[in-house]
Amino acid sequence: SRLEETVRKRVSENPVVIYSKTWCSYSMEVKSLFKRIGVEPLVIELDELGPQGPQLQKVLERMTGQCTVPNVFIGGKHIGGCTDTVKLYQKGELTTMLSELNMS
Amino acid sequence: SRLEETVRKRVSENPVVIYSKTWCSYSMEVKSLFKRIGVEPLVIELDELGPQGPQLQKVLERMTGQCTVPNVFIGGKHIGGCTDTVKLYQKGELTTMLSELNMS
Ligand SMILES: N[C@@H](CCC(=O)N[C@@H](CS)C(=O)NCC(=O)O)C(=O)O
Ligand SMILES: N[C@@H](CCC(=O)N[C@@H](CS)C(=O)NCC(=O)O)C(=O)O
Ligand code: FES
């Protein structure tokens, strides 16, 4: 689908992509984590896209099996949500992934 | 207002009251915190109340200055959100408050 193509394009062209909602604290946490480590992700706020927001959330669910936000991609690879991303960071694996993309 | 009266009644009649949203992870965290310490709060899910949900959220903002969820009351007193409640718990003050209400 066209929406699916948009996602594939975005996650392949941007090292870090976060599908987020502006008023969601878990989304805020994952955005500020990347900010703290000096990485600027591409952020797509699903609540600011009108009716396309829920559609995009459904497409992401089909593609990744994850129906929740935040939905995080690194180097085109689906990482997971806030908890998954924080765990990776605490294990030191996040910075490793980012440096492999020349990012941190 | 009638809605304001409902809030006052609920927080005075119930030792722990949480205004929550079912799909919000911060709301889930604070609900499971109380569950872990063996306390059963009265939970009001604002997203399950139709148009009354946003109205209630506005009333809570007028009454407490807090426009966000989760919105937590203990012993009729406004505590704050998820972060505030977790901080109180980590300081040992939450269990103290609850035992003063014969609750923990
Ligand atoms: N453990 C997941 C929790 C994800 C989650 O439950 N997200 C909520 C918001 S905090 C959600 O997407 N709810 C449904 C929705 O907003 O459409 C994570 O760390 O990201
Ligand atoms: N630090 C606050 C954050 C509260 C917050 O930002 N809550 C969000 C949801 S996680 C909110 O209420 N957003 C607006 C809304 O849902 O109406 C807490 O710990 O509770
Ligand atoms: S909506 Fe509250 S943490 Fe996501």
Side-chain angles (χ1 to χ4, degrees):
Chain A
S1 74
R2 186 182 52 80
L3 231 41
E4 204 165 317
E5 272 321 295
T6 319
V7 175
R8 295 198 189 283
K9 186 175 199 288
R10 273 179 180 155
V11 306
S12 60
E13 292 179 356
N14 299 277
V16 183
V17 181
I18 303 172
Y19 289 90
S20 164
K21 287 184 186 178
T22 56
W23 32 256
C24 166
S25 293
Y26 263 35
S27 298
M28 290 178 211
E29 273 188 30
V30 88
K31 282 181 276 186
S32 68
L33 169 60
F34 283 105
K35 184 169 189 175
R36 271 202 312 282
I37 59 186
V39 167
E40 180 158 1
L42 174 71
V43 177
I44 293 116
E45 302 290 2
L46 296 181
D47 56 300
E48 293 186 334
L49 301 177
Q52 216 178 63
Q55 290 170 15
L56 200 35
Q57 197 166 347
K58 269 275 163 253
V59 164
L60 286 164
E61 183 178 2
R62 272 209 315 271
M63 295 174 68
T64 66
Q66 182 181 317
C67 58
T68 55
V69 291
N71 203 331
V72 182
F73 293 78
I74 298 176
K77 184 162 167 275
H78 178 242
I79 297 302
C82 176
T83 322
D84 304 310
T85 308
V86 169
K87 278 200 192 116
L88 273 185
Y89 174 67
Q90 288 167 342
K91 289 201 269 177
E93 289 181 35
L94 197 72
T95 8
T96 306
M97 281 182 157
L98 292 166
S99 50
E100 284 173 359
L101 302 167
N102 296 322
M103 280 210 83
S104 190
Chain B
S1 75
R2 188 183 50 80
L3 231 42
E4 201 164 318
E5 270 323 292
T6 319
V7 175
R8 296 197 189 285
K9 185 175 199 287
R10 274 180 179 155
V11 307
S12 59
E13 292 178 357
N14 299 275
V16 182
V17 181
I18 303 172
Y19 289 90
S20 164
K21 287 184 185 177
T22 56
W23 32 256
C24 165
S25 293
Y26 263 35
S27 297
M28 291 179 209
E29 273 189 30
V30 88
K31 282 180 278 185
S32 69
L33 170 61
F34 283 105
K35 184 169 189 174
R36 271 203 311 283
I37 59 187
V39 168
E40 180 156 4
L42 174 71
V43 177
I44 293 115
E45 301 288 3
L46 295 181
D47 56 299
E48 295 186 332
L49 300 177
Q52 216 177 62
Q55 290 168 16
L56 200 35
Q57 196 166 348
K58 269 275 164 252
V59 164
L60 287 163
E61 181 177 5
R62 269 209 317 270
M63 295 173 70
T64 66
Q66 181 182 316
C67 60
T68 55
V69 292
N71 204 331
V72 182
F73 293 79
I74 297 176
K77 183 162 168 275
H78 179 243
I79 297 302
C82 176
T83 322
D84 303 311
T85 307
V86 169
K87 278 202 192 114
L88 273 186
Y89 174 66
Q90 288 168 339
K91 289 201 268 176
E93 289 180 37
L94 196 73
T95 8
T96 306
M97 281 181 158
L98 292 166
S99 50
E100 284 172 359
L101 301 167
N102 296 324
M103 280 212 82
S104 190

